[in-house]
């Protein structure tokens, strides 16, 4: 087994165990402590507990690796590998009792994502990808949508308070008036996994943090989709613009995003 495959096996198992921990909190919502980090940006003790658990397991297995997560300070590594963690993506759903949230875990080697796992405990689905070997959900191969028009499916988009609201509204307006439909479930990582699975034909967002997107973007690539080129020097710490989708609609997604956001 290669180093990369060993890390994938570890990541799948860890994401599933972290998902089970998250699920225990989800079944006891009345005991959660919930705080606001900003407009429509929530965090609970479940987020912090799950990330702490993931960090402890990584430190035991790969003590030389770096760790970059949403809820705790980064850990500098010596190996060139960095684990990128979103313990609960879709916290607004989680704390409201909506079963659309996931654990997202990725491992990058000097800024290039090598392994990505997205575990959705409520559905029992675990999505994963290893660079060069494909993308899967519960062992079944993923294939990005083969739609040739934006009218042949739904395009997902995200929005955060730091974004330009008017630009996002333009994006949705242009998409719908052009015959398409938008989709949002408040979990960017999960929506990217759905693009890799062909359930959505594309995804556009003005900016995503690395912990929300790099696992899913690798899955889309490995499922035969197309993504906006990523900058390995900056993506882990600073995130990226995101345009991703099926190979036949990517150019249309790209044109839509550039018009809406002025890129």
């Amino acid at each position: 087994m290669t180093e990369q495959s060993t890390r994938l096996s570890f990541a799948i198992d860890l994401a599933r165990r972290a998902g089970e921990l998250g699920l225990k909190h989800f079944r006891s919502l009345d005991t959660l402590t919930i705080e606001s980090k900003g407009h429509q940006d929530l965090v609970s003790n479940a987020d912090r507990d799950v990330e702490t658990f993931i960090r402890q397991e990584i430190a035991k297995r790969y003590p030389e690796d770096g760790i970059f997560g949403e809820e705790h300070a980064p850990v500098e590594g010596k190996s060139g590998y960095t684990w990128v963690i979103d313990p609960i993506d879709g916290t607004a759903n989680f704390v409201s009792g909506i079963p659309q949230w996931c654990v997202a875990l990725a491992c990058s080697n000097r800024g290039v994502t090598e392994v990505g796992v997205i575990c959705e405990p409520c559905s029992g689905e675990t999505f994963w990808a290893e660079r060069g070997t494909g993308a899967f959900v519960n062992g079944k191969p993923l294939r990005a949508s083969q739609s040739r028009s934006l009218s042949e499916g739904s395009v997902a988009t995200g929005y955060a308070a730091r974004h330009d609201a008017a630009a996002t509204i333009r994006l949705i307006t242009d998409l719908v008036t052009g015959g398409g439909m938008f989709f949002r479930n408040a979990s960017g990582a999960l929506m990217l996994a759905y693009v890799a699975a062909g359930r959505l034909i594309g995804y556009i967002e003005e900016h995503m943090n690395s912990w929300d997107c790099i696992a899913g973007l690798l899955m889309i690539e490995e499922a035969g989709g197309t993504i906006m080129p990523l900058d390995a020097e900056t993506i882990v710490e600073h995130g990226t613009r995101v345009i991703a989708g099926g190979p036949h609609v990517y150019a249309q997604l790209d044109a839509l995003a550039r018009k809406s956001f002025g890129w």
Side-chain angles (χ1 to χ4, degrees):
M1 185 178 286
T2 66
E3 173 71 15
Q4 192 168 287
S5 297
T6 300
R7 287 173 179 272
L8 175 64
S9 296
F10 168 77
I12 292 170
D13 176 68
L14 178 55
R16 284 175 168 162
R17 288 189 289 138
E20 284 297 317
L21 177 58
L23 202 54
K24 289 180 182 177
H25 283 289
F26 187 68
R27 290 169 176 158
S28 305
L29 290 179
D30 56 336
T31 68
L32 287 183
T33 301
I34 302 165
E35 303 168 26
S36 173
K37 296 192 290 184
H39 177 66
Q40 293 288 317
D41 189 6
L42 303 175
V43 63
S44 74
N45 56 301
D47 297 77
R48 296 187 174 114
D49 288 351
V50 173
E51 182 166 323
T52 297
F53 168 73
I54 294 172
R55 284 171 174 261
Q56 289 173 342
E57 294 301 300
I58 291 170
K60 284 192 290 186
R61 179 68 176 270
Y62 294 107
E64 299 295 306
D65 288 3
I67 303 176
F68 194 81
E70 181 173 12
E71 306 303 342
H72 298 295
V75 173
E76 289 291 330
K78 300 177 182 177
S79 65
Y81 287 98
T82 300
W83 293 89
V84 182
I85 308 163
D86 194 336
I88 297 176
D89 185 53
T91 298
N93 290 341
F94 185 95
V95 301
S96 300
I98 299 171
Q100 285 271 289
W101 54 272
C102 64
V103 176
L105 182 60
C107 185
S108 72
N109 186 0
R110 293 172 175 82
V112 176
T113 310
E114 300 291 350
V115 164
V117 181
I118 294 172
C119 175
E120 186 186 16
C122 293
S123 70
E125 290 189 317
T126 303
F127 302 81
W128 68 79
E130 177 186 345
R131 183 166 297 281
T133 67
F136 304 84
V137 57
N138 293 352
K140 180 181 178 180
L142 297 179
R143 186 173 187 240
S145 171
Q146 299 302 299
S147 295
R148 294 184 174 273
S149 167
L150 297 183
S151 65
E152 297 176 2
S154 296
V155 175
T157 186
Y159 172 73
R162 64 182 180 275
H163 295 174
D164 179 356
T168 302
I169 292 168
R170 283 195 301 273
L171 171 69
I172 293 171
T173 300
D174 289 347
L175 174 64
V176 173
T177 57
M181 182 49 63
F182 70 94
F183 177 93
R184 183 175 185 271
N185 70 359
S187 172
L190 201 51
M191 288 187 282
L192 289 171
Y194 289 176
V195 174
R199 301 172 189 177
L200 298 169
I201 63 175
Y203 188 98
I204 298 170
E205 187 164 350
E206 187 173 2
H207 177 270
M208 296 183 79
N209 293 311
S210 59
W211 52 73
D212 291 325
C213 70
I214 64 172
L217 290 173
L218 175 62
M219 291 174 196
I220 293 168
E221 284 188 285
E222 290 297 319
T226 304
I227 69 170
M228 190 177 194
L230 305 177
D231 184 347
E233 296 294 324
T234 62
I235 188 167
V236 170
E237 291 188 10
H238 301 291
T240 184
R241 296 171 174 173
V242 174
I243 306 171
H248 306 303
V249 295
Y250 180 81
Q252 298 167 62
L253 294 166
D254 183 76
L256 188 65
R258 292 181 186 281
K259 178 184 176 186
S260 299
F261 297 119
W263 294 347

